[in-house]
Amino acid sequence: MNRRLSRLIAGWRTGLSRPVLILQAGNALNYFGYGLIAPFEIIYLHQIRGFSTSTAGLVLAATMGTAAITTPPTGVLLDRYSAKAIVIAGSLSSVLGYAGFAFVDRPWQAFACSIVGGVGLGVAGTANRNMVVTMVTPEQRPAAFALNRVGGNLGIGLGSTAAGFIVASAERLGSFQILYFFDAVTFAGFALIVLVAVPSPPRVTAPTTAANETGFRAVARDRLFLTVIAANIVLVVVGHTFFSNILSPFAKAHTPVGPAEIGIIFLVNTSFIVIAQIPAVRVVARMRRTRAFAATSALFAVALLAVLPSTLIHSELAATSLLAGVAIVFAIGEVVHILALGPLVADMAPAHLLGRYLSLYTLTFTLSLAIGPAIGGLLLQTSPDAVWWGGALAAMLAGAVLLRLGDRIPDPIRQAPSRLASAPEAA
């Protein structure tokens, strides 16, 4: 028993420094606030504020669309200025935007709050990833991305569960206002943690020999990187975003599942990721990256198609159980996806362009979180089932594109034997 416990604990060791662990704890707090509102944003704007589902989807899209627009300029700033200061400034902008959501009663007010909050998400999210990458060694990157995902899903799971019970106990305006207020408080708390407990990471400057290889023009010439980013935008839309933002209103409208059960479904998804993400670092490290992407696309496709039978079930318990199983399949796909994508982007980036490359990595998520609610909200109003079978088809196509890249993308498994072969023999 002691030996098994020791092995379990060893599987959770990351070897990361104390400042990195503190930063990830702050991320968990931030994601707790996001979890409070994520499952119920469309429900709040549609049922409480009276917006149509398409308008509510566009409001969510405006948040992430603004974040996407601010992400590339943030990458430029990160290659010149302190990531720590940029994280704090972005977090404070999100405080204003999400606190304002509690008081909107007209669409233009919601869009204004979306823009302010979106600026904060784009700025802080990009700078945060830059801080993590520059505070760890290349060998620690998979563990750092894994721990970031663990903290994020732990926060989202706890927040979604708490929000589900709050809304179920009193589905009225005051309940939703409480959720948005506490979301704003978590942004402020994260800014305080970064200010007080996280040191400023070193900034890498461009070498003189690379003077003509700086800026986004250099990134645009990396066609392989842009292909990876484009295909992964599709995977994030149909895998991460459709689950996070579209499953809740779909389940509430077309299945017997209620708000409390929705919170439990999100808890199942995030709990699985929290438990499996760090031990999975060693498993995914033994996979070729292209195969990891192919596995991700297949898992997302299966999960998306498995949502459809829930509309035929009349039992609340049976429907909840099926969607909890769907949540686990989504979780497995997310675990593999993050461990393949994050370290790959960092490996493909020249040191002096790290901020720009990571800004486009962040853009993968912000743009997807903008596109996903807009597409999903429109389909919910016109053809709800198309969200799931259409998303499955898109996931398989994206996986096929990434699989065809083959040996063209950097892969530690392929590079390790070549380094051994090129090493001089011992005398």
Side-chain angles (χ1 to χ4, degrees), residues 297-352:
S297 66
L299 288 164
F300 283 162
V302 170
L304 288 159
L305 292 174
V307 172
L308 293 173
S310 66
T311 61
L312 306 175
I313 298 173
H314 301 291
S315 166
E316 182 180 76
L317 177 60
T320 302
S321 299
L322 173 61
L323 293 178
V326 167
I328 291 174
V329 179
F330 270 118
I332 298 172
E334 291 179 46
V335 165
V336 178
H337 188 215
I338 293 301
L339 290 176
L341 179 60
L344 171 61
V345 171
D347 288 349
M348 296 180 80
H352 63 285

Side-chain angles (χ1 to χ4, degrees), residues 104 119 130 158 179 193 204 206 239 249 303 328 363 397:
V104 301
V119 169
N130 184 277
L158 294 175
L179 299 183
I193 289 172
V204 179
I328 291 174
L363 192 62
L397 291 175

Side-chain angles (χ1 to χ4, degrees), residues 24 27-29 31-32 146-156 274:
Q24 302 293 28
N27 282 326
L29 174 65
Y31 278 109
F32 175 81
L147 186 59
N148 179 270
R149 194 65 180 167
V150 167
N153 280 274
L154 179 63
I156 290 173
V274 168

Side-chain angles (χ1 to χ4, degrees), residues 125-215:
T126 307
N128 187 18
R129 288 187 175 95
N130 184 277
M131 286 185 69
V132 171
V133 170
T134 54
M135 291 171 70
V136 301
T137 64
E139 293 75 20
Q140 292 176 321
R141 284 170 182 168
F145 280 98
L147 186 59
N148 179 270
R149 194 65 180 167
V150 167
N153 280 274
L154 179 63
I156 290 173
L158 294 175
S160 297
T161 304
F165 285 103
I166 290 172
V167 173
S169 64
E171 196 169 344
R172 58 174 184 263
L173 173 61
S175 300
F176 290 98
Q177 288 178 316
I178 289 173
L179 299 183
Y180 277 100
F181 172 76
F182 278 106
D183 182 32
V185 170
T186 61
F187 279 112
F190 176 65
L192 183 62
I193 289 172
V194 173
L195 176 65
V196 174
V198 179
S200 295
R203 184 170 56 87
V204 179
T205 56
T208 56
T209 57
N212 61 343
E213 294 293 330
T214 60

Side-chain angles (χ1 to χ4, degrees), residues 189-378:
F190 176 65
L192 183 62
I193 289 172
V194 173
L195 176 65
V196 174
V198 179
S200 295
R203 184 170 56 87
V204 179
T205 56
T208 56
T209 57
N212 61 343
E213 294 293 330
T214 60
F216 278 107
R217 289 184 179 180
V219 181
R221 285 193 288 269
D222 192 343
R223 300 296 177 84
L224 180 62
F225 173 69
L226 296 182
T227 301
V228 170
I229 289 297
N232 276 285
I233 286 174
V234 176
L235 289 180
V236 176
V237 167
V238 301
H240 300 252
T241 309
F242 278 5
F243 175 79
S244 298
N245 296 111
I246 305 303
L247 182 61
S248 296
F250 177 85
K252 194 171 188 300
H254 301 283
T255 76
V257 172
E261 288 73 29
I262 290 173
I264 291 172
I265 290 167
F266 272 77
L267 179 63
V268 169
N269 172 267
T270 54
S271 297
F272 187 94
I273 294 174
V274 168
I275 294 169
Q277 186 77 76
I278 292 177
V281 171
R282 293 170 176 81
V283 177
V284 177
R286 294 194 289 268
M287 300 173 63
R288 291 290 181 91
R289 279 171 169 164
T290 51
R291 293 177 182 175
F293 286 131
T296 296
S297 66
L299 288 164
F300 283 162
V302 170
L304 288 159
L305 292 174
V307 172
L308 293 173
S310 66
T311 61
L312 306 175
I313 298 173
H314 301 291
S315 166
E316 182 180 76
L317 177 60
T320 302
S321 299
L322 173 61
L323 293 178
V326 167
I328 291 174
V329 179
F330 270 118
I332 298 172
E334 291 179 46
V335 165
V336 178
H337 188 215
I338 293 301
L339 290 176
L341 179 60
L344 171 61
V345 171
D347 288 349
M348 296 180 80
H352 63 285
L353 294 175
L354 181 63
R356 288 170 170 84
Y357 271 71
L358 287 176
S359 72
L360 293 186
Y361 169 73
T362 304
L363 192 62
T364 299
F365 293 90
T366 53
L367 187 60
S368 301
L369 291 171
I371 297 172
I375 296 175
L378 180 62

